[in-house]
Amino acid sequence: MPALSWRSDGSADAPPLVLLNSVGSSTAMWTPCIAPLSERFRVIRIDTRGHGDSPPSPPGSPCAIDDLAGDVLATLDGIGLDRVALAGLSLGGMIGMWLAVHAPERISRLAVLCTSAHLEPLQLWADRSAAVREKGTEAIADAVIARWVTPGFAERDPVAFRAIRAMFTAVDAESYAQCCDAIGGMDQRSDLARVAAPTLVISAEHDPATPLPHLKLIADRIPGARLEIVDGASHIATYEQPARVAALLIDHFRGGGTTAAGYAVRREVLGDEYVDAALSATTPLTAGFQDFLTRYAWGEVWTRPDLSRRERSIATLAALVTLGAEHELTAHVRGAVRNGLTPAEVVEVIQHLAIYAGMPRANRAVAIARDALDRGEDRSS
């Protein structure tokens, strides 16, 4: 197979997170979740053969789950990634489970969403691949998409619904049929106990394609796996509950703060100059504290999913102004701007605090903020 198409979002220095799509979709199915994920990870989305921008699979090409997994491994080799966290939905989850069993050195953590280790009836997949080979994906589009989203989704979000349908009908018919054959021929149930990567299993409340018993079986057989159910969503849960899905993935893949992740976030918020100065001032006496600060505050707390960085900056400014922590305020004023606050909003936050923290501290904080923002503008001009 020619190389698969892939795209990357987020900092190149962030921990890599690979996302795999369902059969009949493309990496666009992850778009509603990308913003929060790419704040914390280098998100790499890989299109299955014949899906999205990946080249089609010629008739007669070998296409079992191991072949599709081989495509992913070859793509990761081409990118230069040896070990990654991976999340896959439906077919993407099937590929992810195969990789976790047969290439465990490549998968650090795994999440599988709305998927199965074995899907019956097998005749359904044979009939579907035959129909698509004869008439194209348009012939089955409405029936398939009715299982992807909950009733009423088209009325609630007609733009998204049209985009989903267009994504499905754009898939190469032969590649889609081959992937259906791969699903019909798959049975990974006996292999699940061999998955060693920490695993999150996500089921969607209204998913008729891979209902809860399929996900429960996976969670029961993978040692230590955790099962979560997303309410108010069907098979492609990333469209109907993107915030919930992203929060679950962030919580799972964060896996505890690390120094490397902490430094990445610390630099993004406070800037390289500030962090480099802090590091240059580190001594053997203070090195342990610097590691603790970076790992715990920046790698653990600042990466938690329930508040955005913008919201965390507002909370941090409130604490620093109230405490009179002037030595920290300049860096966090500039960090707040990096996290999306305007200079006017920074001053508005401080003005609000004058009521609760006291006028003298707010007055001093406004002066510090003015100087910090003025100097920041001078450096960028």
Side-chain angles (χ1 to χ4, degrees):
M1 274 294 299
L4 298 181
S5 171
W6 60 278
R7 61 169 296 173
S8 178
D9 298 276
S11 170
D13 297 326
L17 170 60
V18 171
L19 303 180
L20 303 180
N21 53 285
S22 68
V23 64
S25 73
S26 71
T27 56
M29 58 155 280
W30 289 102
T31 298
C33 300
I34 288 300
L37 292 177
S38 61
E39 279 191 358
R40 297 157 177 87
F41 306 103
R42 180 190 180 191
V43 180
I44 297 161
R45 291 183 274 172
I46 301 176
D47 275 319
T48 307
R49 58 172 69 177
H51 293 60
D53 293 325
S54 284
S57 183
S61 298
C63 190
I65 292 297
D66 56 330
D67 297 307
L68 297 173
D71 294 346
V72 173
L73 289 177
T75 303
L76 295 179
D77 290 341
I79 300 171
L81 293 173
D82 294 325
R83 187 169 171 82
V84 299
L86 185 145
L89 191 149
S90 194
L91 175 60
M94 299 169 193
I95 295 170
M97 289 185 287
W98 191 96
L99 289 170
V101 170
H102 298 281
E105 73 284 358
R106 306 298 295 269
I107 306 300
S108 60
R109 298 179 77 85
L110 175 69
V112 295
L113 300 81
C114 303
T115 190
S116 179
H118 179 65
L119 267 179
E120 294 181 328
L122 304 185
Q123 189 60 43
L124 178 149
W125 298 101
D127 292 344
R128 186 178 291 186
S129 63
V132 168
R133 283 189 170 104
E134 180 183 355
K135 301 178 181 178
T137 53
E138 179 68 40
I140 64 169
D142 292 332
V144 170
I145 295 170
R147 295 160 65 84
W148 278 12
V149 294
T150 56
F153 179 79
E155 288 74 25
R156 294 194 304 273
D157 195 340
V159 173
F161 185 82
R162 287 195 296 270
I164 292 169
R165 197 180 192 286
M167 177 176 61
F168 181 84
T169 57
V171 172
D172 173 65
E174 175 60 27
S175 301
Y176 181 88
Q178 289 182 16
C179 288
C180 289
D181 293 337
I183 294 171
M186 175 202 68
D187 187 349
Q188 301 193 75
R189 290 174 292 182
S190 64
D191 291 333
L192 294 176
R194 297 167 55 194
V195 175
T199 301
L200 170 67
V201 181
I202 298 177
S203 177
E205 179 186 19
H206 302 297
D207 182 5
T210 54
L212 179 59
H214 289 259
L215 284 304
K216 190 174 186 306
L217 182 147
I218 294 170
D220 288 344
R221 296 196 181 186
I222 294 179
R226 179 171 121 241
L227 174 65
E228 295 284 350
I229 301 172
V230 174
D231 296 335
S234 190
H235 188 57
I236 309 297
T238 53
Y239 279 107
E240 295 187 274
Q241 294 295 337
R244 175 64 174 152
V245 170
L248 287 170
L249 294 179
I250 290 168
D251 180 67
H252 176 64
F253 288 119
R254 190 168 47 84
T258 66
T259 302
Y263 273 120
V265 176
R266 193 177 177 189
R267 288 182 180 278
E268 289 169 7
V269 175
L270 300 182
D272 288 335
E273 182 181 344
Y274 181 90
V275 176
D276 288 342
L279 290 176
S280 66
T282 301
T283 69
L285 182 64
T286 64
F289 181 77
Q290 277 292 328
D291 179 75
F292 167 77
L293 169 69
T294 304
R295 174 170 41 84
Y296 182 68
W298 295 101
E300 180 74 21
V301 175
W302 271 84
T303 60
R304 291 180 64 81
D306 296 321
L307 293 177
S308 67
R309 287 192 188 174
R310 172 187 169 88
E311 291 165 335
R312 291 189 184 279
S313 278
I314 293 173
T316 303
L317 290 176
L320 296 177
V321 172
T322 302
L323 293 170
E326 296 182 6
H327 59 293
E328 295 276 348
L329 194 52
T330 294
H332 278 281
V333 164
R334 293 174 183 157
V337 173
R338 289 189 185 92
N339 285 341
L341 273 75
T342 66
E345 288 173 328
V346 169
V347 174
E348 185 65 28
V349 169
I350 297 172
Q351 182 170 325
H352 183 81
L353 290 169
I355 306 301
Y356 299 94
M359 190 65 72
R361 285 191 169 171
N363 186 47
R364 177 62 181 147
V366 168
I368 292 172
R370 179 198 61 212
D371 292 344
L373 295 169
D374 287 346
R375 287 201 298 274
E377 290 170 0
D378 289 342
R379 278 201 305 275
S380 64
S381 60

